[in-house]
Amino acid sequence: DAGITQSPRHKVTETGTPVTLRCHQTENHRYMYWYRQDPGHGLRLIHYSYGVKDTDKGEVSDGYSVSRSKTEDFLLTLESATSSQTSVYFCAISGGGSYQETQYFGPGTRLLVL
Amino acid sequence: AQSVSQHNHHVILSEAASLELGCNYSYGGTVNLFWYVQYPGQHLQLLLKYFSGDPLVKGIKGFEAEFIKSKFSFNLRKPSVQWSDTAEYFCAAFAGNNRKLIWGLGTSLAVNP
């Protein structure tokens, strides 16, 4: 398995509170991604990064922000959590010289927003 | 818009039965294709991938997939499933110059012992 860790692995929070999820990789891969997984929706891309300080939006970016100050860390922040953001969040990484390389996934974070 | 379709949402098989899960994509140019598996409570793991070359791709755990360009398909197969193959299976594709991986909605496979 690729060297990807996510923290926390489980979190319960209340509506309106900020939440930050961390993805850490030891592979020195250029590309990092945040997805959410919900029943009936499969995997949906939230944000991705193509280098330090270089990020872009995915298909469901509203209510989320990201930061990447180091190659190894990609942070996902829910500015003000809502119940619709209850989900399982997966980080993924890929290397090589192109976006179109294989993505490897972290263990996931289960987030419950009450 | 480019898309990936997985026709079987839920599949139930008995052990030793053969498996074929359908995947179709909607793009006529160059594609990179993937199958991932997600065991209950776990993260996604790569089963196999096709970038170019031999259209019959062999992956881990005895799985294989065949890229048929004329049918825009990349079906996953296994000749004899085991109870441990119970999982969700996702097909995904990079199409053209798209920077984002396009995902199917997944197929849930249950294998009865």
Side-chain angles (χ1 to χ4, degrees), chain B residues 51-69:
Chain B
F51 282 16
S52 64
D54 189 342
L56 184 61
V57 180
K58 295 193 182 299
I60 61 171
K61 303 179 189 286
F63 287 90
E64 66 178 31
E66 185 174 11
F67 170 59
I68 303 179
K69 189 173 182 178

Side-chain angles (χ1 to χ4, degrees), chain B residues 5-8 20-24 35 73-76 91 107:
Chain B
S5 299
Q6 294 182 240
H7 314 296
N8 320 99
E20 182 161 2
L21 301 183
C23 174
N24 286 90
W35 275 99
S73 71
F74 189 56
N75 292 355
L76 182 71
C91 182
T107 297

Side-chain angles (χ1 to χ4, degrees), chain A residues 53-66:
Chain A
K53 300 190 188 303
D54 292 325
T55 64
D56 204 352
K57 295 179 180 179
E59 60 184 298
V60 289
S61 59
D62 287 349
Y64 301 95
S65 62
V66 289

Side-chain angles (χ1 to χ4, degrees), chain B residues 53-112:
Chain B
D54 189 342
L56 184 61
V57 180
K58 295 193 182 299
I60 61 171
K61 303 179 189 286
F63 287 90
E64 66 178 31
E66 185 174 11
F67 170 59
I68 303 179
K69 189 173 182 178
S70 60
K71 295 185 178 180
F72 300 91
S73 71
F74 189 56
N75 292 355
L76 182 71
R77 300 193 295 244
K78 186 172 185 179
S80 176
V81 295
Q82 301 172 316
W83 175 79
S84 58
D85 293 323
T86 294
E88 190 142 16
Y89 293 81
F90 292 92
C91 182
F94 280 117
N97 294 321
N98 202 325
R99 295 180 173 185
K100 301 163 191 174
L101 195 53
I102 305 165
W103 292 88
L105 292 181
T107 297
S108 175
L109 172 66
V111 179
N112 295 323

Side-chain angles (χ1 to χ4, degrees), chain A residues 26-114:
Chain A
T26 58
E27 305 295 326
N28 200 34
H29 280 356
R30 177 181 177 186
Y31 304 105
M32 298 185 76
Y33 307 83
W34 276 108
Y35 289 92
R36 59 178 290 175
Q37 185 179 30
D38 305 285
H41 292 276
L43 280 150
R44 292 182 291 176
L45 181 65
I46 305 171
H47 282 280
Y48 65 102
S49 170
Y50 45 98
V52 173
K53 300 190 188 303
D54 292 325
T55 64
D56 204 352
K57 295 179 180 179
E59 60 184 298
V60 289
S61 59
D62 287 349
Y64 301 95
S65 62
V66 289
S67 67
R68 192 167 178 202
S69 59
K70 297 184 290 185
T71 299
E72 58 265 35
D73 288 325
F74 192 31
L75 303 181
L76 176 71
T77 298
L78 290 65
E79 303 291 345
S80 177
T82 67
S83 58
S84 65
Q85 294 176 311
T86 291
S87 187
V88 181
Y89 291 86
F90 287 101
C91 173
I93 66 173
S94 67
S98 163
Y99 285 95
Q100 298 190 351
E101 296 293 336
T102 304
Q103 293 183 14
Y104 297 95
F105 285 80
T109 294
R110 289 186 176 274
L111 177 66
L112 174 61
V113 183
L114 300 175

